[in-house]
Amino acid sequence: MTTITHVRACVPETMVSVAEALSTQTNVFTDRVGQMARDVDHELGEWKGAGAAAASARTLAHQLDANHLAETVVGLADHYNAFGTELAGYRDVLLTTVVHATEDDGMSVDDAGNVTAPKVPPGNEHPSVPGLVQHYLDTQAAGYQSKIQHLLAQFGDAETRAAKAITDSLQLLDTYQKNPNSDVGSKVKDILAGRAQLPDDPQQLHDFWATLTPAEKDALWKHDPYIGNRDGIPVVDRDHYNRMTLQDELARARAGDPALQGKRDDLEKINKELQHPDRFLLLIDTKSGATTHAAIASGNPDLADHVATFVPGTGSRPSKSMYMDWVDRMRDQARTAGAKNPAVISWLGYDAPPELLDATHRRYADAGAGALDRFQNGLRASHVGAPSYNTVVGHSYGTTVIGDAASHGRTLNADAVVFVASPGTTVEHASDLSLTGVRSEEVGNRVYATAAVHDPTPLYAANRVGKLDDALFGVDSGPAIHDPYNPSGTGSAPPKESGGLDDYGMDPTDPDFRGRSFPSDPGPSSELGLNGAAHNKYWEPGSRSLEGMGHIIAGKGDKATQIPPAPPPVAQTQPVPPPPPPPR
Amino acid sequence: MGTPVEERGDAVLQVDADALRRLGGKLGTHAAEIGQIIIGAKAIMAEDSPVRAVSDRVPEAVRHAFELIGGNINQMATRMTAGAATYSELEQANTDQLRRYAGS
């Protein structure tokens, strides 16, 4: 059992210092080895004699340069950083609580965290008062004890997990030292030969991946250049292998490879966004969908305490935007709201409706819902340390995808969802949604929505345009779009689909939806009041909506709902019935 | 008795021997720098902490791992500075070292 004396003797901040030292010295190492390989190339560049002799030296040098020791040590540093931060957090709160109990409230606290209230002397004038006071103090002591012992347990659990993670890295380092370029093991050989498959389940894949040597990971990447897209693989490895795949595809696209026709602009844009620091490429796929699928994180989600996934809507594709400006603003706003180390991901992992009229069809959401579910499960599986607070934020048609991914037999692995400018979420009530790990009666408190007064898109849901269309023209299922990442299809079929204008359910900002709404600025208006430009103003710096999203991502959604609403706009004309705009 | 170097026909030319010596010096510097890498920081944890037990092994394990590469670079440096007699000897020595490194 973890004791207070034990916690006092630990200085977890020194683990963070170890992480910094490991990172710094690894950089020295990789710089030296890289320079060594360049020196060999340079000095042997004017070689006059037998070419094989120079080639053998180059091969040896580059083989040494291609070592994976640095990645393993960086992984070790990540463990020290994440667990050191987690343990320091528990220690701070624990010791502060002990001080409050003993010094402020006169309690006795033993080493196991048992708390005893001071004894109230008997009173002469009011005999019942001491008993009441004693009862109050005993209750207070019980509260302290519960908190202290819970923190002791958390500290001990985190230490155990940290020790295991560090031990695993050391074993990998040891294996690698014994045989740096060893042949692949039998399990990987079976996969390469097609006799076995990698686990589909993100947690199982994560566990399997942890047993692989760097050489085995390399072999799997050569076998499948999209290995980094697999949900459950640690973020640093996803980024490493996906960047190699990106460079390969970009080179081929620039050379005019017909297989990448129409994808070069997507790849160039992704490559450009990755030049910024602290970016992680979690998904790159030019093959599975009609458009290029990609996901870029700002900050490492595996090490973050708060993680948000952003799902954009109609017309989204990498060549137009990766939305990293919006993503960075959400990350900054979450920090302002109190998140210590947030990460925000731009997820373009589905074929968004290409045009506005396409956005009246639900089949795009149906096809993308499963991929979003697996992506979120993967974030949980690869996360290091205490579970992060995960939020999924959707804009416009992205909210329809999120709602679809959290209902109709599916569950979305998130602690909260945010619907921004929603045309509907495919459900009638917040309680129809399922968030993994959140009790059903609690889900309504984790579902947030906002809409700008001048934004026409939310009126699609508010006026039930799709339902009206069904009533007038009947239901007509459009052609189905398959889920590219799950061709066999799992989960229940969507309940209905119409070919004209699909109904996406109730407006999530409507009180009857029974979620929690938070305010947005009204946005620019027109003579009629509504203005399509208002649809893309939710991430403006200083806006109410951005402030609210920051609170929600930081796990403080109550504060989002307490933001004062914008003053009602001054009416310039008589209100007119809004036209039925298609969702964006 | 072996054939004299001059008669083998693949003796290393002076211009290449000069390049090898220059390269050997550079590689020796890199190897020495890698050999000096130490992880000075230490995790201060309670004596009975499982993190402490495993953390005590980390600095030496990392230094030893880096030294694996540093030692290989040093071998290359030594070979090149010493001056190979023939191109075939140089190629053979590099190939042998690569085989040992790769564990094949």
Side-chain angles (χ1 to χ4, degrees), chain A residues 6 9-11 14-15 17-18 21-22 25-26 28-29 32-33 35-36 39-40 43 47-50 52-53 56-57 59-60 63-64 67 69 73 76 80 159 162-163 166-167 170 173 176-177 179-181, chain B residues 13 15-16 19-20 22-23 26-27 30 33-34 37-39 41-46 48-51 54-55 57-58 61-62 64-66 68-69 72-73 76 79-80 87 90-91 94 97-98 101-103:
Chain A
H6 174 95
C10 294
V11 187
T14 57
M15 292 177 67
S17 301
V18 170
L22 288 169
Q25 297 303 340
T26 302
V28 172
F29 170 74
R32 279 289 165 183
V33 180
Q35 187 59 49
M36 176 276 298
D39 285 345
V40 171
E43 289 294 350
W47 194 251
K48 301 297 182 192
S56 66
T59 302
L60 175 57
Q63 198 73 51
L64 293 172
N67 75 81
L69 286 169
V73 179
L76 193 57
Y80 271 98
E159 274 191 299
I166 294 167
T167 301
L170 285 178
L173 209 54
Y176 184 63
Q177 285 178 64
N179 209 348
N181 278 332
Chain B
L13 298 170
V15 62
D16 290 340
L20 287 176
R22 278 197 308 275
L23 180 57
K26 290 181 178 179
L27 297 189
H30 294 315
E33 288 288 338
I34 291 170
I37 293 176
I38 55 168
I39 308 299
K42 184 178 166 72
I44 299 171
M45 302 296 279
D48 57 343
S49 167
V51 175
V54 71
S55 290
R57 293 166 44 204
V58 167
V62 172
H64 194 58
F66 289 166
L68 173 79
I69 304 298
N72 271 280
I73 296 172
M76 290 176 71
R79 183 161 57 247
M80 290 169 183
Y87 289 107
L90 181 63
E91 182 194 351
N94 287 334
Q97 187 184 343
L98 180 60
Y101 168 73

Side-chain angles (χ1 to χ4, degrees), chain A residues 10-331:
Chain A
C10 294
V11 187
E13 289 84 356
T14 57
M15 292 177 67
V16 179
S17 301
V18 170
E20 290 168 358
L22 288 169
S23 297
T24 302
Q25 297 303 340
T26 302
N27 286 338
V28 172
F29 170 74
T30 52
D31 287 350
R32 279 289 165 183
V33 180
Q35 187 59 49
M36 176 276 298
R38 289 192 291 278
D39 285 345
V40 171
D41 287 341
H42 178 256
E43 289 294 350
L44 303 185
E46 301 295 323
W47 194 251
K48 301 297 182 192
S56 66
R58 285 197 192 94
T59 302
L60 175 57
H62 285 277
Q63 198 73 51
L64 293 172
D65 186 30
N67 75 81
H68 290 276
L69 286 169
E71 291 156 29
T72 309
V73 179
V74 167
L76 193 57
D78 284 346
H79 294 319
Y80 271 98
N81 186 51
F83 285 109
T85 303
E86 183 182 352
L87 286 164
Y90 296 143
R91 186 179 188 273
D92 284 351
V93 178
L94 173 72
L95 298 185
T96 302
T97 305
V98 170
V99 168
H100 282 160
T102 54
E103 296 183 7
D104 297 346
D105 292 327
M107 308 277 173
S108 300
V109 181
D110 71 12
D111 210 23
N114 296 306
V115 181
T116 308
K119 295 300 173 197
V120 179
N124 294 329
E125 294 184 11
H126 304 286
S128 63
V129 170
L132 290 172
V133 173
Q134 187 66 58
H135 177 72
Y136 169 77
L137 290 175
D138 288 345
T139 303
Q140 195 178 22
Y144 274 127
Q145 180 170 312
S146 172
K147 183 174 181 182
I148 289 170
Q149 291 185 339
H150 183 56
L151 285 163
L152 286 171
Q154 285 180 308
F155 192 93
D157 174 63
E159 274 191 299
T160 304
R161 285 186 283 111
K164 182 181 182 311
I166 294 167
T167 301
D168 288 347
S169 287
L170 285 178
Q171 284 174 348
L172 193 56
L173 209 54
D174 190 45
T175 304
Y176 184 63
Q177 285 178 64
K178 287 174 184 162
N179 209 348
N181 278 332
S182 61
D183 200 1
V184 296
S186 60
K187 287 182 180 175
V188 174
K189 277 181 179 169
D190 285 346
I191 293 169
L192 300 179
R195 294 189 294 269
Q197 301 288 322
L198 281 168
D200 278 335
D201 176 73
Q203 186 61 53
Q204 289 177 11
L205 176 59
H206 180 262
D207 295 344
F208 176 71
W209 191 261
T211 68
L212 302 180
T213 65
E216 288 175 320
K217 294 175 186 176
D218 278 357
L220 287 170
W221 176 74
K222 285 172 186 164
H223 176 67
D224 174 13
Y226 283 163
I227 190 87
N229 293 340
R230 304 258 184 160
D231 299 311
I233 291 176
V235 163
V236 288
D237 280 347
R238 294 181 75 155
D239 180 63
H240 172 69
Y241 290 112
N242 281 340
R243 282 180 189 249
M244 291 202 296
T245 299
L246 172 67
Q247 293 310 317
D248 174 61
E249 293 202 345
L250 191 54
R252 288 196 286 118
R254 286 170 177 167
D257 185 339
L260 290 162
Q261 191 174 17
K263 305 290 174 68
R264 178 176 169 178
D265 289 348
D266 293 325
L267 296 169
E268 296 281 8
K269 180 70 174 179
I270 294 164
N271 189 49
K272 186 179 174 189
E273 292 294 354
L274 291 173
Q275 305 311 308
H276 295 268
D278 211 16
R279 297 278 201 253
F280 297 86
L281 182 58
L282 305 184
L283 173 65
I284 173 71
D285 183 351
T286 56
K287 295 177 181 171
S288 300
T291 60
T292 299
H293 294 177
I296 299 177
S298 176
N300 184 344
D302 279 356
L303 304 181
D305 49 16
H306 294 78
V307 178
T309 303
F310 171 69
V311 183
T314 300
S316 56
R317 66 175 296 170
S319 59
K320 289 184 179 174
S321 176
M322 278 303 298
Y323 301 91
M324 297 311 291
D325 49 348
W326 292 6
V327 159
D328 285 336
R329 286 176 200 166
M330 282 189 273
R331 191 179 181 206

